[in-house]
Amino acid sequence: MGNVQAASQTGAPPPPPSPPGPTPTATPPVPEPTPPDNHPGSFEDLHKKCKDVFPTPVEGCKLLINKGLSNHFQISHTIALSSVGTSSYHFGTTYVGTKQISPTEAFPVLLGDLDSAGNLNAQIIHNLFNNVRGKCVIQTQGSKFAVVQLDADYHGSDYTASVTVGNPDIINESGILVGHYLQRVTSRLCLGAELLYHYGQGQEGSVVTLAGTYTGANWTAACNVAPAGWHVSYYHKANSKVQVGVELETNLRGQDTAVSLGYQIDVPEANLVFRGMLDTNFTVAGVLEKRLLPMPFTFIISGLVNHWRNTCRFGFGLMVG
């Protein structure tokens, strides 16, 4: 009888649990498309892409040694020996601060260069406020100030405005004031203007320059138009190894026009970069840079020939670091 009561209290066994269903997979968040960079850049860099293609010839012998003392401080030694120009030694310093505002930008930045004649070139660049950047440039020759320049740039969402004050002298009432404005009109077109005002020695005057740049898929065209002349440049990137640039500079007062063609060829398989140029003044120049891996050396060979003046300059250099 006890067994019957126990059986009645226990009851039927519970049904087996249902097999687990498929685990729901969380839908990964779809990354939002990165908005295009509408910032037009600075007025001074309108022709930068084209100019970077042209070579910088070296005359004589040049030795450049770069040494990083820390993640923020670097020094350099430059020795130049020339039979045409003046031989010199330059000691340079670079300091980059800890205020990181982007993966490639940190502030403040302090640059200094002192040569064997005692001439100093110093620059201070700092992000003063949000979207406001300041720069101070000082150049001395011996014991005198040759250049004192103060810049302030404001970077808007689709425009850049800047003001530059050069060599202000309150006592002698002289100086230079320059204002820049560059506006992105469309995704490819930027238009801007420059106003230069100078005064001193009882004279004053102003010059207005209009500028614009148009960017294609792999090319950029820029133009500056002023009462004294024009400056037109065209940059084209043919592929990952070949870049070409053309410049047209016209001086209306001197009634002179020059056209220059520059090109850059990168051969990453050989760690080699070659830049060459030729212009309508019958000048041909080329610079070959060869990295000597795994050593931190870069060997430079340079040559320049002017057929009209029957002159030539050759040189070589070594860059360490």
Side-chain angles (χ1 to χ4, degrees), residues 94-97 106-111 123-126:
T94 302
Y95 172 79
V96 180
F107 294 95
V109 178
L110 282 73
L111 306 174
Q123 298 185 33
I124 302 175
I125 307 172
H126 191 47

Side-chain angles (χ1 to χ4, degrees), residues 151-221:
D151 298 353
D153 300 336
Y154 181 83
H155 297 266
S157 58
D158 59 350
Y159 67 93
T160 300
S162 62
V163 177
T164 301
V165 179
N167 292 339
D169 192 341
I170 301 177
I171 299 177
N172 298 322
E173 296 183 353
S174 64
I176 299 175
L177 179 64
V178 183
H180 295 145
Y181 183 82
L182 188 62
Q183 173 73 53
R184 180 171 293 279
V185 181
T186 65
S187 59
R188 296 180 180 270
L189 178 64
C190 297
L191 298 177
E194 175 191 73
L195 173 61
L196 186 148
Y197 173 76
H198 62 91
Y199 63 97
Q201 299 180 355
Q203 299 179 355
E204 60 179 354
S206 61
V207 179
V208 177
T209 302
L210 303 179
T213 176
Y214 189 88
T215 304
N218 58 348
W219 59 273
T220 300

Side-chain angles (χ1 to χ4, degrees), residues 98-179:
T98 58
K99 184 180 179 181
Q100 193 88 17
I101 64 173
S102 71
T104 59
E105 290 182 315
F107 294 95
V109 178
L110 282 73
L111 306 174
D113 183 89
L114 181 65
D115 63 10
S116 54
N119 302 323
L120 174 66
N121 186 352
Q123 298 185 33
I124 302 175
I125 307 172
H126 191 47
N127 196 61
L128 303 176
F129 308 103
N130 188 20
N131 297 333
V132 178
R133 190 169 301 174
K135 182 172 70 172
C136 176
V137 179
I138 297 177
Q139 296 181 7
T140 64
Q141 291 183 354
S143 59
K144 298 181 179 180
F145 286 94
V147 176
V148 177
Q149 180 176 315
L150 302 175
D151 298 353
D153 300 336
Y154 181 83
H155 297 266
S157 58
D158 59 350
Y159 67 93
T160 300
S162 62
V163 177
T164 301
V165 179
N167 292 339
D169 192 341
I170 301 177
I171 299 177
N172 298 322
E173 296 183 353
S174 64
I176 299 175
L177 179 64
V178 183

